[in-house]
């Protein structure tokens, strides 16, 4: 197998994407635990080991429970472990990630609109688009997982 290029060696090329990510995370107005669950779930769908490593560590460092992290791929069957708002965010994230021939269903859209303001839903959609982009970059270049260190401070 050939060695793929290092994403971080091309920092100047990806800097606009990093800046966009910083802006989305700071303006989103979305709860950080929910954001990390969405980032984790989308990364599961896309099979991005680097992003799974990163977002599971960030979520844990921010105080997320192991149980919720372990069960996020089965959130529909996990009952009340996830709030209605989190469930709407996860449904939206899955639908936007797995865009099929017919796009996002009206049912998923209505569920998301009931849980989020227009601005929040736009920000959630940008977040989902951003993690899908990162997943594709890291999967394409086979960015190694395991060495990420979370800058997030441990919850008290």
């Amino acid at each position: 197998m050939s060695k793929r290029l290092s994403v971080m060696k091309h920092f100047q090329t990806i800097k606009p994407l990093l800046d966009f990510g910083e802006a989305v995370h700071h303006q989103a107005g979305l709860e950080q635990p929910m954001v990390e669950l969405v980032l984790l779930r989308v990364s599961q769908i896309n099979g991005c080991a680097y992003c799974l490593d990163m977002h599971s560590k960030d979520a844990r460092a921010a105080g997320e429970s192991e149980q919720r992290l372990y069960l996020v791929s089965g959130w529909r069957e996990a009952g009340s472990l996830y709030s209605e708002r989190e469930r709407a965010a996860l449904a939206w994230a899955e639908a936007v990630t797995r865009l099929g021939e017919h796009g996002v269903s009206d049912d998923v859209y209505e569920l998301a609109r009931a849980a989020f303001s227009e601005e929040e839903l736009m920000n959630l959609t940008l977040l989902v688009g951003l993690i899908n982009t990162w997943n594709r970059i890291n999967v394409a270049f086979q960015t190694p997982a395991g060495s990420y260190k979370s800058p997030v401070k441990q919850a008290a």
Side-chain angles (χ1 to χ4, degrees), residues 4-23:
R4 306 284 173 107
L5 66 83
S6 168
V7 173
M8 288 314 287
K9 273 185 150 177
H10 297 272
F11 181 80
Q12 288 305 316
T13 304
I14 64 170
K15 187 166 180 344
L17 191 57
L18 292 166
D19 293 341
F20 176 64
E22 196 67 26

Side-chain angles (χ1 to χ4, degrees), residues 41-114:
R41 181 65 189 123
V42 172
S43 297
Q44 287 174 335
I45 292 167
N46 291 324
C48 183
Y50 182 82
C51 293
L52 286 166
D53 180 50
M54 173 187 284
H55 296 296
S56 63
K57 288 176 179 174
D58 285 349
R60 265 192 242 95
E64 186 58 76
S65 76
E66 294 290 320
Q67 182 184 31
R68 284 169 39 97
L69 292 177
Y70 297 150
L71 295 176
V72 73
S73 64
W75 64 267
R76 283 181 179 81
E77 292 79 31
S80 62
L81 193 60
Y82 303 97
S83 71
E84 287 302 315
R85 187 168 159 92
E86 289 169 334
R87 295 168 70 77
L90 290 165
W92 183 256
E94 288 181 358
V96 171
T97 297
R98 293 177 170 146
L99 283 176
E101 185 178 330
H102 302 290
V104 177
S105 74
D106 289 342
D107 290 344
V108 172
Y109 176 77
E110 292 304 326
L111 180 68
R113 281 298 291 129

Side-chain angles (χ1 to χ4, degrees), residues 112-144:
R113 281 298 291 129
F116 299 99
S117 69
E118 286 185 11
E119 183 177 3
E120 288 172 331
L121 187 56
M122 181 56 71
N123 288 331
L124 178 61
T125 306
L126 290 173
L127 185 74
V128 171
L130 179 64
I131 192 59
N132 271 289
T133 299
W134 279 119
N135 290 165
R136 280 151 178 77
I137 290 169
N138 287 310
V139 169
F141 295 116
Q142 297 177 350
T143 305

